Amino acid sequence: MINTEFIEYIKCDDTDVYENEPMNLHTSFRIGGNAECFCEVKNKNALSNVMKTCKKYNIPYFILGLGSNLLVSDNGIKGVVIKLGGDFTKITLLESDKNIVKCGAGVTLAGLCVFARNESLGGMEFAWGIPGSVGGAVYMNAGAYGGEIKDVVISSEYMDSDGNIKSFSGDELDFSYRHSAYSDSNYVITDVTFKLEPKSQAEICSRMDELMNRRKTKQPLNRPSAGSVFKRPEGYFAAALIESCGLKGFSIGDAQVSEKHSGFIINNGNATAKDVKQLIEHIKKVVKEQTGVELCCEIKYIE
């Protein structure tokens, strides 16, 4: 249970602390109750202090990126939500090799893509338009249009629950489809190092524009959502299966299967987490009954 003593321990100049923070302000779904405690840490010392204090008081914590792959319970989140700000939003080039970019886990993928473009470095174009943070992208090995984070990451640093800084590199990152060494762990990614390749800005811009136009044409970007709801079943496409089962446009409450892209569930105004969860289960049930394919949800549910 979070009490005044706990709050006083984690408060400092480098940590902004808010109690009962509405999580619908921090998720792309615009859904979710209040976080019992929400704090933005601005450097590794502040992060270490919060994590050690959580361990001391046996309080659970959750690391929030941009909230683009989350469904937060209507009852909110018990424990502490940690957002990485300050130093965690910086991007630098390695002095000894200008093709290597190091950035904090709190950097947005959009910000990293723009930085790479401005430095005439290619390799990140596939991520243009993915609405997430660098840390979240590494956590789930985000990908689109034939590219994945694993293609460009060479190492990453993380903090364990005791506040120790460690790292994974190469095969230790254990990347696979929507999976990494961080999946289902309590490690906090702090920094990520990318190896990119020299490329003309004109070529990079052309590819980024092409992919963004494809997104705008095919995806419901004008409605709150959490992106693609289901992982790609082997040998199939989730959206095609959902559409073939007649579920395009189907809704429960204000949660609706997008009429533009059946792989998305959109919030039509006042959808609740309960609406979305019920809709996900209905989709899985109907698709299983009609096609025999088991859909696996890609969105992370937090309570």
Side-chain angles (χ1 to χ4, degrees):
M1 177 70 70
I2 291 179
N3 54 34
T4 303
E5 185 177 282
F6 173 86
I7 296 295
E8 289 305 313
Y9 263 116
I10 64 173
K11 275 185 177 179
C12 67
D13 290 342
D14 296 321
T15 304
D16 296 328
V17 182
Y18 308 91
E19 296 183 68
N20 297 313
E21 177 72 3
M23 287 303 295
N24 61 0
L25 301 178
H26 300 280
T27 65
S28 58
F29 242 145
R30 298 293 180 257
I31 291 173
N34 294 351
E36 194 174 3
C37 178
F38 183 100
C39 61
E40 180 172 330
V41 294
K42 300 175 183 178
N43 54 46
K44 291 176 183 176
N45 286 336
L47 174 61
S48 176
N49 178 51
V50 172
M51 292 179 67
K52 287 178 179 177
T53 307
C54 284
K55 185 172 183 179
K56 176 182 177 181
Y57 285 86
N58 196 31
I59 291 174
Y61 61 83
F62 173 74
I63 304 300
L64 177 73
L66 294 187
S68 58
N69 198 46
L70 294 179
L71 177 62
V72 175
S73 165
D74 298 317
N75 295 323
I77 301 177
K78 298 297 183 185
V80 179
V81 174
I82 303 172
K83 185 173 179 62
L84 305 180
D87 290 351
F88 297 106
T89 61
K90 295 179 179 179
I91 313 175
T92 58
L93 287 177
L94 200 66
E95 284 296 326
S96 59
D97 187 341
K98 297 298 185 180
N99 297 331
I100 294 181
V101 178
K102 184 172 183 178
C103 69
V107 171
T108 66
L109 281 176
L112 177 57
C113 289
V114 169
F115 179 90
R117 179 199 66 196
N118 292 345
E119 295 294 335
S120 299
L121 292 173
M124 288 301 307
E125 294 91 328
F126 75 89
W128 182 236
I130 296 178
S133 67
V134 165
V138 172
Y139 179 91
M140 67 173 296
N141 185 26
Y145 300 114
E148 291 180 299
I149 284 293
K150 71 177 180 63
D151 301 330
V152 287
V153 171
I154 55 176
S155 67
S156 64
E157 293 182 1
Y158 65 89
M159 186 177 290
D160 65 20
S161 59
D162 293 317
N164 301 311
I165 294 291
K166 300 178 181 180
S167 65
F168 288 132
S169 61
D171 292 342
E172 293 174 334
L173 288 160
D174 193 27
F175 283 128
S176 60
Y177 179 65
R178 300 300 177 264
H179 175 274
S180 75
Y182 298 105
S183 300
D184 303 316
S185 80
N186 65 349
Y187 297 147
V188 180
I189 302 169
T190 58
D191 300 278
V192 183
T193 303
F194 298 85
K195 179 65 178 289
L196 304 178
E197 297 180 354
K199 188 183 288 188
S200 74
Q201 286 191 15
E203 190 177 355
I204 294 170
C205 286
S206 175
R207 180 61 174 163
M208 288 169 67
D209 288 345
E210 175 196 348
L211 295 184
M212 184 56 74
N213 287 334
R214 288 170 67 177
R215 286 182 183 279
K216 289 178 178 178
T217 300
K218 297 181 179 181
Q219 298 178 8
L221 302 183
N222 62 330
R223 290 286 188 273
S225 79
S228 181
V229 176
F230 300 101
K231 295 180 181 179
R232 185 178 64 245
E234 189 172 351
Y236 299 91
F237 291 99
L241 289 171
I242 294 167
E243 186 169 348
S244 73
C245 292
L247 292 171
K248 176 179 274 192
F250 183 84
S251 62
I252 293 179
D254 261 1
Q256 181 185 38
V257 178
S258 169
E259 294 181 332
K260 194 169 187 178
H261 190 308
S262 298
F264 284 61
I265 289 175
I266 59 174
N267 177 358
N268 265 331
N270 295 297
T272 63
K274 182 180 179 181
D275 292 338
V276 176
K277 285 190 74 179
Q278 289 181 345
L279 183 53
I280 288 171
E281 291 307 311
H282 179 76
I283 293 167
K284 290 172 67 175
K285 178 176 180 290
V286 172
V287 170
K288 177 67 173 177
E289 288 175 349
Q290 294 192 21
T291 71
V293 178
E294 190 86 46
L295 292 180
C296 180
C297 191
E298 191 172 302
I299 294 173
K300 193 174 182 68
Y301 179 69
I302 305 295
E303 59 185 344

